[in-house]
Amino acid sequence: MNRASLEKRPDEVATMFDDVAPKYDVVNDVLSMGQTRRWRRIVVDAMDVKVGQKVLDLAAGTGTSSEPYADAGVDVVACDFSLGMLKVGKRRRPDIDFIAGDATNLPFADNSFDASTISFGLRNVVEPRKALEEMLRVTKPGGRLVIAEFSHPVVPLWRNLYTEYLMRALPAIATKVSSNPDAYVYLAESIRAWPDQDHLAQWLSDAGWTDITYRNLSGGIVAVHRAQKPDEHRESVPVAKLRRQIKPRHQAG
Ligand SMILES: C[S@@+](CC[C@H](N)C(=O)[O-])C[C@H]1O[C@@H](n2cnc3c(N)ncnc32)[C@H](O)[C@@H]1O
């Protein structure tokens, strides 16, 4: 058995991802029934970055979340602390800049990136609120943050069906397709223990991000949060207004 506990000790988390790295992307496609590709396209649209801009893709793993930026001529840095995941990524995409680094203590100077993003990574970080502060530090004033993370379906019937899938079907399928099925039991447990959409929006606000909105995908299985680093030359959004802004936008998805 090689899985992290819900304490998310960094050594356990990194070892678990080292272990699943070779089949990580294939297993993802199977377990999400192909949905990850659609979710990733929505994240890239939300980032809205331009050719030549510099983007941090934190907890980038094998770089699958970084690829669309590189393909579009954006200068993307893929950062992760699992050397196993980085190695698979570098072999597949030698043109992408893969850098080993811890989300809670990033190896980058202040204001280094035009925008930052983290896909399906924040939930695995031992101190996610610290990671939100670190991403704020390394992003330029006025720069954007986009987070994609598993979340909580908003409609009760859909939530119940999805919980059944997570706790029963997903571990059973993982036994067939993954070399480390226990890692996918961790996946299911960590998704259930993760804060909901509004809670994560509040963490973003506490960390100093402004203009926070989120969008539910697949009925809330995934939430994409968007935020901005305050810019001294731009009027900031008052806190009372901010609270209204972080109300869910129930878009189809
Ligand atoms: C589920 S994978 C996501 C990979 C990629 N972003 C994607 O969308 O496929 C989560 C990644 O988070 C990384 N991770 C977890 N905690 C981290 C930390 N404290 N610092 C850096 N990376 C971390 C793991 O090593 C793993 O590669």
Side-chain angles (χ1 to χ4, degrees), residues 17 24 40 59-61 65 80-82 85 101-103 119-120 124-125:
F17 280 102
Y24 169 80
R40 290 187 194 289
S65 47
D80 199 286
F81 75 174
S82 157
M85 294 287 268
D102 188 329
S119 289
F120 309 107
N124 301 297
V125 176

Side-chain angles (χ1 to χ4, degrees), residues 54-126:
K54 191 165 178 187
V55 163
L56 169 65
D57 183 19
L58 183 56
T62 61
T64 309
S65 47
S66 322
E67 278 178 298
Y69 304 103
D71 292 344
V74 171
D75 180 10
V76 63
V77 172
C79 178
D80 199 286
F81 75 174
S82 157
L83 299 183
M85 294 287 268
L86 292 176
K87 228 179 272 171
V88 170
K90 193 69 189 170
R91 203 176 308 131
R92 214 163 35 94
R93 287 296 300 250
D95 59 314
I96 294 180
D97 207 3
F98 285 91
I99 292 185
D102 188 329
T104 60
N105 185 18
L106 288 173
F108 307 111
D110 297 358
N111 309 326
S112 304
F113 296 94
D114 294 295
S116 297
T117 183
I118 181 165
S119 289
F120 309 107
L122 194 61
R123 176 180 33 85
N124 301 297
V125 176
V126 61

Side-chain angles (χ1 to χ4, degrees), residues 22-41:
K23 288 172 80 180
Y24 169 80
D25 287 293
V26 178
V27 175
N28 253 1
D29 265 347
V30 173
L31 294 179
S32 74
M33 301 174 204
Q35 289 300 296
T36 43
R37 289 160 195 258
R38 193 174 69 88
W39 297 334
R40 290 187 194 289
R41 278 197 296 276

Side-chain angles (χ1 to χ4, degrees), residues 61-229:
T62 61
T64 309
S65 47
S66 322
E67 278 178 298
Y69 304 103
D71 292 344
V74 171
D75 180 10
V76 63
V77 172
C79 178
D80 199 286
F81 75 174
S82 157
L83 299 183
M85 294 287 268
L86 292 176
K87 228 179 272 171
V88 170
K90 193 69 189 170
R91 203 176 308 131
R92 214 163 35 94
R93 287 296 300 250
D95 59 314
I96 294 180
D97 207 3
F98 285 91
I99 292 185
D102 188 329
T104 60
N105 185 18
L106 288 173
F108 307 111
D110 297 358
N111 309 326
S112 304
F113 296 94
D114 294 295
S116 297
T117 183
I118 181 165
S119 289
F120 309 107
L122 194 61
R123 176 180 33 85
N124 301 297
V125 176
V126 61
E127 289 180 275
R129 295 164 69 109
K130 178 82 181 118
L132 295 177
E133 290 169 9
E134 275 293 89
M135 284 190 281
L136 185 80
R137 180 181 67 75
V138 303
T139 304
K140 291 179 186 170
R144 177 164 295 145
L145 169 69
V146 176
I147 302 172
E149 191 49 86
F150 289 109
S151 199
H152 298 275
V154 280
V155 175
L157 180 62
W158 183 227
R159 189 163 52 233
N160 294 344
L161 282 171
Y162 175 60
T163 303
E164 276 296 300
Y165 171 75
L166 268 187
M167 303 313 287
R168 293 180 197 277
L170 184 141
I173 300 168
T175 306
K176 302 241 181 309
V177 293
S178 169
S179 53
N180 183 3
D182 287 328
Y184 292 87
V185 176
Y186 161 85
L187 171 70
E189 290 177 1
S190 63
I191 291 172
R192 287 197 72 192
W194 184 245
D196 69 13
Q197 291 86 332
D198 285 333
H199 199 130
L200 177 54
Q202 186 59 54
W203 281 4
L204 280 160
S205 173
D206 294 346
W209 292 95
T210 61
D211 298 33
I212 302 156
T213 57
Y214 68 77
R215 171 180 175 181
N216 287 317
L217 307 183
S218 303
I221 287 179
V222 168
V224 174
H225 285 70
R226 232 165 90 123
Q228 202 153 358
K229 177 164 172 174

